[in-house]
Amino acid sequence: MVTEVFISPGNGGTENEFKCTNISALDNENLVAFAKENNIDMTVVGPELPLVEGITDIFRRNGLAIIGPSKDGAQLEGSKAFSKNFMRNNGVKTGYYIEFDKYEEAVDFLPECDWPVVIKADGLAAGKGVIICKDIKDAEDALKRILVERVFGSAGDSVIIEEFIEGKEVSIIAFVDGRTILPLLSAKDHKQIGNGDTGLNTGGMGVIAPNPWYTEEIEADFHKNILEPTLKGIQKAQWDFRGILFFGVMIAEGGAYLLEYNVRMGDPETQGVLPLLENDLAEVFQKIHYRELKNYSLEFKKESSCTVVAASGGYPGNYKKGLEISGTDELSQPLFIGGAEKKDDRFYTKSGRVLSVTALADTLPEASDLAYREISKISFEGIYYRTDIGVDSRG
Ligand code: GLY
């Protein structure tokens, strides 16, 4: 269905994809002008910032089709307090929380907490604003950094202190047209840098899909207590929510709890889940735009996927950039470039998480095995990846 795709700004990976052209990074107004001048039929927003700034409202006012929630709906990701209030007001199952904007008041509350707790900066903090605190001292430090030292700027105007829910994480990406919500296959991210979920948090080091812990019972719980109340809440708020909604869920003793919403596809979950989707994504976007998801169904390959992310040595701390990457031509499975640029037909590293490889196979153990055989073909100085993604399932 698609003749050409323009990506702003794109990267070394999108540059040479079939039908794709990178364009420079444009602000929201200039993207509208570009879409008009080039007769763009459909715009799809990747990251959260333009959504929170209201890009879809500007496009729709200009009669342009765009996939993403309106500015008010995007607050589900843009403000942690807004999102938790939305969950509470709409009966979405989530952990307890309380919001503070004054350091002293937040500190006074700490003796009442059961430990650990999660402290979150309210606004967008590039994935760094969520801090797990094991005791009062950790919590005081986190509150001081956010509310007094303002390390996240205005994203730290307020914080929420939230119950820590322990369990197995599940990520669910869903398509929403405002009337219907269609979840994709479940996935499991691996956020920590080290094997066995150890070490610092990252943007995500690997994914398995479907998630083996997402049983039929948990799925029913998720639908009843999280997905359906969320859709009702969106309808009650009367947002123009034609876009993507990502649910970060924890499976704990009491069933499924919602930790957070994102108003975009998750990274790296998307790399793991979309290769399993059989529908034409352009058709899905049309159905979202015309609010026709109700009689539409998503089809998935009867396979499993395993995605392994390769990072720069030292990430999530300091790392070198500009290192030549080799082996990308040797792969038989999908390669996703995250942070690399292309010069003279060669890739060079440009950020912490550099690329990922997604392997598909009949079973998860086979997918995991294949993903590791594939990623071992890639090399650059200091390359690092976890070696346990999907490995448990191999028995
Ligand atoms: N893995 C969830 C996210 O993209 O932030």
Side-chain angles (χ1 to χ4, degrees):
M1 293 172 72
V2 174
T3 48
E4 196 167 10
V5 181
F6 295 95
I7 303 146
S8 166
N11 65 21
T14 54
E15 195 177 302
N16 289 350
E17 281 287 324
F18 184 47
K19 301 181 186 177
C20 292
T21 308
N22 286 352
I23 58 172
S24 49
L26 298 174
D27 62 21
N28 291 351
E29 297 290 347
N30 279 310
L31 282 168
V32 167
F34 180 90
K36 284 186 173 173
E37 276 159 26
N38 293 279
N39 297 317
I40 301 296
D41 296 308
M42 176 72 74
T43 300
V44 181
V45 189
E48 63 278 20
L49 191 58
L51 292 166
V52 169
E53 289 174 348
I55 187 171
T56 59
D57 307 69
I58 305 171
F59 266 65
R60 287 177 185 142
R61 271 202 303 276
N62 280 274
L64 295 163
I66 187 162
I67 298 302
S70 55
K71 182 176 181 174
D72 39 15
Q75 294 308 308
L76 287 183
E77 178 164 0
S79 162
K80 303 278 189 308
F82 179 94
S83 137
K84 290 290 283 193
N85 285 334
F86 174 91
M87 293 177 209
R88 182 168 61 189
N89 294 339
N90 291 289
V92 175
K93 197 159 113 195
T94 190
Y96 296 109
Y97 72 100
I98 180 158
E99 184 184 2
F100 293 99
D101 58 8
K102 295 200 176 46
Y103 173 74
E104 292 74 18
E105 286 176 16
V107 167
D108 283 349
F109 173 73
L110 294 178
E112 296 180 37
C113 294
D114 289 329
W115 301 93
V117 296
V118 187
I119 294 185
K120 295 179 175 172
D122 180 57
L124 294 179
K128 300 197 171 84
V130 176
I131 304 162
I132 297 170
C133 304
K134 64 178 182 319
D135 54 26
I136 287 200
K137 175 158 184 335
D138 273 5
E140 281 178 358
D141 287 349
L143 291 169
K144 195 163 176 197
R145 277 166 52 73
I146 299 171
L147 291 170
V148 180
E149 293 166 8
R150 314 287 290 187
V151 292
F152 303 121
S154 61
D157 283 350
S158 66
V159 296
I160 57 169
I161 301 181
E162 192 178 334
E163 175 188 11
F164 175 82
I165 298 176
E166 194 158 16
K168 295 279 182 199
E169 279 190 60
V170 184
S171 304
I172 305 283
I173 299 169
F175 298 125
V176 187
D177 69 4
R179 295 175 183 160
T180 302
I181 186 161
L182 281 187
L184 282 78
L185 286 181
S186 60
K188 184 175 191 308
D189 192 4
H190 296 72
K191 288 216 164 59
Q192 282 163 284
I193 188 73
N195 283 354
D197 297 332
T198 53
L200 294 173
N201 259 1
T202 71
M205 295 303 296
V207 170
I208 51 175
N211 184 325
W213 286 275
Y214 189 68
T215 58
E216 277 179 23
E217 191 189 345
I218 293 294
E219 183 178 6
D221 182 13
F222 170 73
H223 277 245
K224 179 161 177 273
N225 295 308
I226 297 176
L227 192 81
E228 287 161 19
T230 296
L231 180 61
K232 286 204 183 103
I234 288 173
Q235 289 167 340
K236 198 167 91 193
Q238 297 190 321
W239 297 325
D240 185 346
F241 205 118
R242 283 177 283 169
I244 316 290
L245 191 56
F246 170 104
F247 298 80
V249 174
M250 189 65 82
I251 306 171
E253 255 179 37
Y257 289 82
L258 185 63
L259 300 184
E260 63 173 6
Y261 296 112
N262 293 330
V263 291
R264 53 179 169 84
M265 295 208 179
D267 172 9
E269 288 87 342
T270 304
Q271 294 93 305
V273 172
L274 282 194
L276 292 166
L277 180 69
E278 297 208 289
N279 305 61
D280 183 333
L281 198 56
E283 182 183 70
V284 175
F285 290 143
Q286 274 197 339
K287 297 286 173 193
I288 293 174
H289 175 67
Y290 291 109
R291 297 196 170 93
E292 289 173 350
L293 286 180
K294 188 163 189 273
N295 297 315
Y296 189 67
S297 51
L298 300 174
E299 306 294 334
F300 296 94
K301 297 191 172 88
K302 304 273 175 279
E303 289 178 315
S304 290
S305 75
C306 177
T307 303
V308 180
V309 174
S312 303
Y315 171 81
N318 296 333
Y319 51 83
K320 284 194 204 163
K321 293 181 190 170
L323 304 168
E324 187 177 341
I325 304 170
S326 61
T328 52
D329 292 339
E330 320 278 314
L331 300 177
S332 65
Q333 299 291 303
L335 165 73
F336 297 95
I337 296 291
E341 57 188 344
K342 208 160 192 185
K343 282 189 252 165
D344 302 328
D345 232 26
R346 287 169 198 275
F347 285 117
Y348 294 86
T349 65
K350 204 179 168 199
S351 66
R353 290 183 308 142
V354 175
L355 56 84
S356 53
V357 174
T358 296
L360 302 189
D362 288 342
T363 64
L364 180 56
E366 290 168 293
S368 165
D369 193 43
L370 180 56
Y372 280 106
R373 272 189 276 132
E374 287 287 289
I375 205 145
S376 71
K377 297 174 185 168
I378 305 272
S379 58
F380 54 85
E381 187 192 318
I383 185 171
Y384 170 81
Y385 47 85
R386 276 179 62 158
T387 54
D388 65 341
I389 312 295
V391 169
D392 279 1
S393 68
R394 292 194 219 162

